Amino acid sequence: MGLRLSASWLASARKLKKDLAAASSAKERARIIDENGKLWRELKADLAAVSHGKCWYCETRDHRSDNAVDHYRPKSSVKGVPAHPGYWWLAFDYENFRFACTFCNSWRNGPDGTAGGKSDYFPILAGSERANGPDDILSEEIPLLIDPCCATDVALLWFDETGQVSANPHGVDFDSAADEKVTTSAKYYHLDHVPLVEARRAVYAEILKLCDDADKAQKWWNRSQQSSARDRYREAMGDLARSLKRNREHSAVALCAIRSYRATSDAARLAFECLNR
């Protein structure tokens, strides 16, 4: 994650993990978790800094409302799995924390007719073994919610010119559950929320415009050798490079746009091969 945790924070987390393990009942564990939420909230600013202030699930900053520290694996219960106690042993494990906007973190019914939000949902692939306690092996689970901390999960997402999300056409080559993971994640992260879709569509359109501008300026420069054409080309390519930086909202959408356009655009091909660093 790139977090730099203080010795005192780590010591507090270790103590609370021990307290949870020693708790005599589920009620006692719930009390420990509820009374010590400040521990994960203390990391909110640091988690935000890792993603340049963007929600780890949808890449937005402000217009998706208040942000929070989400527990990727729910700490107190798992909706749809009544007998599950929640992943209480991960309540104070920083590796289970994700910086999330309200629409990704909490179930919301949008005025646009969409509904979604992670809440305490944590579906897993049918046939995989769900962990029910600290002695179980988490790697036996195959989560259906894409984990922003897992590069191969993130690679499953694809965005098109309409702003919609789908499975990467090549995702099934390395993950047979790609379609199900993307469909499930789109639902529970509320990735079809109309303002979010429109924001992605605008980024995609801007990338295609920059590619077209750069291609035209390059041809003009080759023909005329005018410095104004060279400068316009360099400006457009600079804008393309900046759009791919991790500190930009929807940089993943920008990358998809460039990848989709590289077969017909020299600028897109150069941006993908040389500027995507």
Side-chain angles (χ1 to χ4, degrees), residues 10-72:
L10 290 169
S12 296
R14 283 194 296 268
K15 179 183 181 302
L16 288 169
K17 289 178 184 179
K18 290 180 180 178
D19 291 345
L20 285 173
S24 59
S25 65
K27 184 176 180 179
E28 176 66 9
R29 287 198 300 266
R31 183 192 64 78
I32 294 170
I33 292 172
D34 291 343
E35 291 181 357
N36 292 280
K38 64 179 183 179
L39 193 68
W40 61 75
R41 287 192 288 271
E42 287 177 7
L43 297 186
K44 180 177 176 179
D46 294 324
L47 291 165
V50 170
S51 62
H52 306 282
K54 299 188 296 184
C55 169
W56 290 17
Y57 297 122
C58 71
E59 282 202 293
T60 59
R61 287 196 181 92
D62 298 329
H63 64 271
R64 295 270 283 182
S65 193
D66 297 334
N67 296 319
V69 177
D70 173 53
H71 288 71
Y72 177 63

Side-chain angles (χ1 to χ4, degrees), residues 17 20-21 109 116 125 128 140 189 191 195 205 211-212 228 238 243:
K17 289 178 184 179
L20 285 173
N109 293 310
L125 187 69
S128 65
E140 294 296 319
Y189 294 151
L191 298 182
C211 288
D212 286 341
S228 58
S243 74

Side-chain angles (χ1 to χ4, degrees), residues 5-272:
L5 303 175
S6 68
S8 61
W9 191 96
L10 290 169
S12 296
R14 283 194 296 268
K15 179 183 181 302
L16 288 169
K17 289 178 184 179
K18 290 180 180 178
D19 291 345
L20 285 173
S24 59
S25 65
K27 184 176 180 179
E28 176 66 9
R29 287 198 300 266
R31 183 192 64 78
I32 294 170
I33 292 172
D34 291 343
E35 291 181 357
N36 292 280
K38 64 179 183 179
L39 193 68
W40 61 75
R41 287 192 288 271
E42 287 177 7
L43 297 186
K44 180 177 176 179
D46 294 324
L47 291 165
V50 170
S51 62
H52 306 282
K54 299 188 296 184
C55 169
W56 290 17
Y57 297 122
C58 71
E59 282 202 293
T60 59
R61 287 196 181 92
D62 298 329
H63 64 271
R64 295 270 283 182
S65 193
D66 297 334
N67 296 319
V69 177
D70 173 53
H71 288 71
Y72 177 63
R73 285 179 165 85
K75 61 187 179 297
S76 301
S77 64
V78 178
K79 286 190 176 181
V81 190
H84 198 280
Y87 297 83
W88 54 266
W89 64 99
L90 300 177
F92 303 105
D93 187 337
Y94 71 91
E95 292 186 345
N96 192 41
F97 300 160
R98 310 288 183 267
F99 182 68
C101 72
T102 299
F103 276 82
C104 284
N105 187 44
S106 305
W107 188 271
R108 292 293 180 89
N109 293 310
D112 51 41
T114 64
K118 182 172 175 288
S119 185
D120 287 332
Y121 291 103
F122 195 73
I124 65 174
L125 187 69
S128 65
E129 194 72 27
R130 188 181 291 276
N132 290 285
D135 294 329
D136 294 334
I137 302 173
L138 281 179
S139 60
E140 294 296 319
E141 291 186 338
I142 302 178
L144 289 177
L145 292 181
I146 284 174
D147 184 357
C149 293
C150 177
T152 53
D153 267 12
V154 174
L156 297 178
L157 294 171
W158 184 261
F159 304 97
D160 65 21
E161 67 277 6
T162 70
Q164 298 292 338
V165 61
S166 60
N168 183 332
H170 301 292
V172 72
D173 294 341
F174 56 89
D175 192 332
S176 60
D179 288 330
E180 189 174 1
K181 286 183 176 181
V182 171
T183 299
T184 304
S185 298
K187 173 183 178 181
Y188 288 112
Y189 294 151
H190 207 165
L191 298 182
D192 62 346
H193 186 218
V194 171
L196 175 60
V197 172
E198 283 301 305
R200 293 195 301 248
R201 184 197 60 76
V203 168
Y204 204 108
E206 176 62 18
I207 293 300
L208 298 192
K209 180 180 182 300
L210 286 172
C211 288
D212 286 341
D213 288 350
D215 287 334
K216 290 175 183 176
Q218 182 187 37
K219 291 176 182 177
W220 178 25
W221 181 18
N222 290 340
R223 289 196 308 267
S224 67
Q225 295 300 300
Q226 292 184 17
S227 59
S228 58
R230 177 199 61 201
D231 293 344
R232 178 65 194 115
Y233 172 72
R234 289 177 174 175
E235 179 183 354
M237 292 305 297
D239 288 341
L240 282 174
R242 283 185 286 275
S243 74
L244 293 170
K245 297 296 184 184
R246 292 294 180 88
N247 63 351
R248 298 292 290 269
E249 279 192 310
H250 309 299
S251 56
V253 178
L255 180 58
C256 284
I258 287 172
R259 288 179 66 181
S260 69
Y261 211 38
R262 57 188 166 147
T264 56
S265 166
D266 289 338
R269 184 168 60 255
L270 178 62
F272 180 77

